[in-house]
Amino acid sequence: MAIDSMSWKCLKTALHTCCGLVLLFTFFFATAYAETPSERGRILADSPVYQNAIAGHEAAHPPSVRIEDNSGNPVSGVTVTFSVTNASGYISDAGHQLRVYTATTDADGRASVPSWVCDARSGKQHLEAINYLYEGAPVVFHLDAQPGPAARLEFEKHPQTTPAGLPIRELTVRVLDAYGNPVGDNDTEVLLISSDSSSAPISPLRARTTSGIARFDSLTITGTGSYTLEARADGLVSALSYPFMVSAGQASAARSTFQAEDELITADGMSSTQLTVRAIDNNGNLLTVGG
């Protein structure tokens, strides 16, 4: 039977309409019955979520997760992305330092990183395990990086220019680990010497640390000149202060001298003699260059 052009156009329109309805129905059906993360299953931590580690070292337990369905059965072949946040170290894999690492769950539904090395700076650090197709993502692992063993000293507050014999205020030396993190839980005796002259008159010479800091609040130096202090402690790398000056103190009437070149002169209004005044402070330092 022949179909005229008008009938053919009507048939094509009907076919297009039917196809469109089928596609629309398929879309709504798929949307209505698509699995949500909670229906698909969940992602769970399979290693400790909170750990402590020494700064710059590996965590004892590499972060690991487990993916299971709603019946508790492991789900294999699922990709999990592990990512470290800023200043949270790196994931170590065959000598490579990575910030992002992907792993696929095994037959037991587990995925993990080879190793998590925390940042050299102490403090809170974080790593996330992500697969948003499963409920519970992201799984966040926390690492509290602790300072390592005491390794060196550092002047926290350096000495300032001060008159001889007066206290140099707020001079402190602190104990650090190999990465420069303050080490607070130690009891260390710190010795101060002058790196310019070991016989320089410095007092006191020693102080013990409290919460990792040795305080020399009443340090005095009686000799004038330029100084650089060195802080020492057994088994630790020593530290040098910034250079500073010790100036002469106020003139002491008891120690200053007054001398005439001639013991006697004629009081004739014309005779004269040279007078020499030596201004000296209480520590014996001359107040003028050359006396």
Side-chain angles (χ1 to χ4, degrees):
M1 180 178 65
I3 301 176
D4 58 28
S5 60
M6 181 61 70
S7 298
W8 176 244
K9 288 182 179 179
C10 291
L11 181 59
K12 287 177 62 178
T13 301
L15 289 173
H16 288 164
T17 301
C18 289
C19 289
L21 290 173
V22 170
L23 291 174
L24 186 62
F25 175 78
T26 302
F27 171 78
F28 280 108
F29 181 84
T31 303
Y33 289 92
E35 287 185 316
T36 63
S38 61
E39 293 172 331
R40 185 176 290 108
R42 53 189 172 270
I43 180 171
L44 307 167
D46 195 52
S47 63
V49 174
Y50 293 92
Q51 298 185 67
N52 293 329
I54 301 299
H57 291 69
E58 293 184 14
H61 305 281
S64 174
V65 295
R66 170 184 165 88
I67 293 182
E68 58 184 36
D69 62 21
N70 284 325
S71 298
N73 301 309
V75 180
S76 62
V78 177
T79 299
V80 178
T81 300
F82 295 87
S83 175
V84 294
T85 60
N86 290 336
S88 292
Y90 58 88
I91 298 166
S92 179
D93 179 30
H96 299 287
Q97 299 181 7
L98 308 174
R99 296 190 61 82
V100 178
Y101 178 84
T102 57
T104 303
T105 56
D106 59 17
D108 295 321
R110 292 185 173 89
S112 64
V113 301
S115 172
W116 182 16
V117 180
C118 61
D119 193 76
R121 291 175 291 181
S122 59
K124 307 294 184 182
Q125 304 182 26
H126 310 281
L127 180 148
E128 295 182 347
I130 302 170
N131 185 314
Y132 287 112
L133 295 178
Y134 291 86
E135 187 178 28
V139 178
V140 182
F141 296 89
H142 307 267
L143 190 62
D144 190 359
Q146 305 290 326
R152 62 186 178 91
L153 299 174
E154 177 186 73
F155 278 89
E156 183 182 41
K157 294 184 179 179
H158 290 259
Q160 304 294 321
T161 296
T162 190
L166 294 183
I168 300 175
R169 301 296 184 185
E170 298 183 349
L171 173 60
T172 56
V173 177
R174 63 180 178 179
V175 180
L176 306 177
D177 68 6
Y179 294 105
N181 299 303
V183 180
D185 57 345
N186 71 90
D187 179 22
T188 303
E189 184 179 64
V190 178
L191 168 67
L192 284 185
I193 66 170
S194 170
S195 64
D196 308 289
S197 172
S198 60
S199 60
I202 301 175
S203 176
L205 296 176
R206 302 175 186 273
R208 300 201 73 86
T209 58
T210 300
S211 298
I213 297 178
R215 303 181 185 278
F216 297 85
D217 291 332
S218 58
L219 177 74
T220 58
I221 300 178
T222 57
T224 59
S226 175
Y227 289 87
T228 301
L229 298 182
E230 181 179 1
R232 295 179 178 179
D234 290 341
L236 304 183
V237 178
S238 61
L240 292 177
S241 73
Y242 297 149
F244 65 101
M245 294 295 298
V246 175
S247 59
Q250 293 183 345
S252 167
R255 305 198 65 171
S256 298
T257 61
F258 176 89
Q259 184 176 5
E261 183 179 15
D262 300 308
E263 293 184 2
L264 297 174
I265 60 173
T266 303
D268 56 8
M270 298 178 61
S271 300
S272 64
T273 188
Q274 181 176 341
L275 300 178
T276 302
V277 177
R278 293 171 60 86
I280 302 174
D281 67 11
N282 283 323
N283 297 293
N285 301 303
L286 295 175
L287 270 69
T288 56
V289 177

